[in-house]
Structures are given as C-alpha cells and as structure tokens.
Amino acid sequence: MAIPYPHFISSEKAAMEAGLLAPSSIILTQDDLKKIAAYKAVEYVESGMVLGLGTGSTAKHAVARIGELLRQGKLTDIVGIPTSTMTHDQALSVGIPLSDLDSHPVVDLAIDGADEVDPYLNLVKGRGGSLLREKMVEAACKKFVVIVDESKLVNYIGGSGLAMPVEVIQFCWKFTASKLQSLFEESGCVAKLRTVGEKEEPFVTDNGNYIVDLYFKESIGDLKAASDSILQIAGVVEHGMFLDMATTVIIAGELGLTVKNK
C-alpha cells in the first residue's frame, strides 16, 4: 500500500540518493520506506569497520548500498560478517569482503531489520528464519542499528499477533513445541511448526534446525523471565526476542524518519 510521504529534511538526502524522491513524486511504497531507512542506517558506516550484515527485505537494501559505496570508493577496508547464507551470497555479489566471528570476535556495527519493535526498543526477529546467526553477530557488535517501517511498531512484544520464532532441534520437535505452548498458556499461546511449499514441508534453518512460531493473544509479561524460561527447555536452540540489544532504531513512516537511541 502506498503511504503519503511529505517533505522532510532528515531523510531527503537519502531518499534522493535512492532515487525515491522527485518534485512530482512523493508517494512511496512500504519497500521504498524500508530503502530510505536502510540508506540512513548506512550513514553510520565508516571505512575500516567490521560490519554485521543483516538478513531480510529491509537489510538487503543496506547491503546493496554498502556494496555501492565500496564500488564508488566512498567506503574502503570494510569487512562484512553475514547473518545468513542468503546475505552471504548477496554481499559477495555486490563486492563486500566477508569474514566471520572466529576471525573478528568484535563487530563495530551491525545493521538489520526487525519484525517488531516495542517502546523500549526490544525486538522480535527471525520471521525470515535467521534468528540464531543474527543474534550471534548482533550480540558481538558495539552498535546495533535497526531499520524498520512504522508498521513494525508494537505496544508489547507479540503485539502484532504474528509469529515470535523459536529455533528448535528436529529431534522430537512436537515435544518441544508442546512445552513452549504450555509455558505461555496464560497468554493464549499457540505454537506452530513453520512449514514451506504446497506440501508444507518443515522449514529448515541454515543451521539444520526447525522453527516453532509462537502466537500470543496477550502480553507475556516480563521479557527477561520469558527469555530465560524458553532457553531452559531442552530442545530449544534460541528464540527471536532480542532484548536490550538495539542501540539505535530508524523508523520510516508518514512523517519521515524517526531515529530512536537507547
């Protein structure tokens, strides 16, 4: 759906560079908003940085922009650490040199999208299936810049009514899913295995695991307590709540760009 996007100073430069704003055209799609937010995030990138490269429809714009600036010589000596095989392939295609956390255990800056952002900048991530590698890379970074459009803002984690992913091992996944659903029974939780294709085959992550998506009807309360409880269940690898990790969130919406800092 096209969203009216009035003239504003803070993101005009990024929008013009992205080819999204012209005097006669100020109606932008949701993907256009993601692109503007991504370009703003890339302004935080400096030559010589080790960068965490996120995964998904928003992060891909940032990866493409970084590659473009490298080709133009406006950025140099960048090392990227991808959070998925998809991002790995995209980064190579646009000329970003890559490495990993074994070689670079401290990451200067990570840029990634999010599926939900609450008022305290806690996130839900992983609806694209890359939550484990994303959390590993983004937990190792000095700064974590999150890029979203305003549709991702929620009053509380799970407030969108959409999935909060949990990566689980394949062995006895039904048992693990049942434990997860019971854990949040008071919040009206429903746990579903993520599937793909017409045959509804289980979705398999880059790490060879399944994802159980949790859907909540009400708030799950204390997020730290919820996180600890999930991780204590045998069979759980990691969950998609990214708590107290984002240092900056860039939100593209009807009134322009809003930048929130921790």
Side-chain angles (χ1 to χ4, degrees), residues 96-132:
I96 301 175
L98 299 181
S99 187
D100 55 35
L101 289 177
D102 291 335
S103 300
H104 297 276
V106 178
V107 179
D108 295 303
L109 172 70
I111 299 175
D112 206 350
D115 300 307
E116 291 185 3
V117 180
D118 79 1
Y120 306 100
L121 306 191
N122 295 310
L123 317 172
V124 168
K125 291 176 52 55
R127 290 179 190 156
S130 301
L131 65 99
L132 176 58

Side-chain angles (χ1 to χ4, degrees), residues 3 35 42 47 51 53 72 109 125 131 149 157-158 160-161 163 165 194 202 208 211 215 235 237 249 258:
I3 301 175
K35 190 171 186 179
V42 174
S47 294
L51 298 177
L53 304 176
Q72 294 173 354
L109 172 70
K125 291 176 52 55
L131 65 99
D149 66 87
I157 290 299
S160 69
R194 184 177 300 184
I211 286 184
Y215 298 86
V237 179
V249 176
T258 301

Side-chain angles (χ1 to χ4, degrees), residues 85 105 162 238 254:
T85 56
L162 301 176
E238 187 53 86
E254 292 183 1

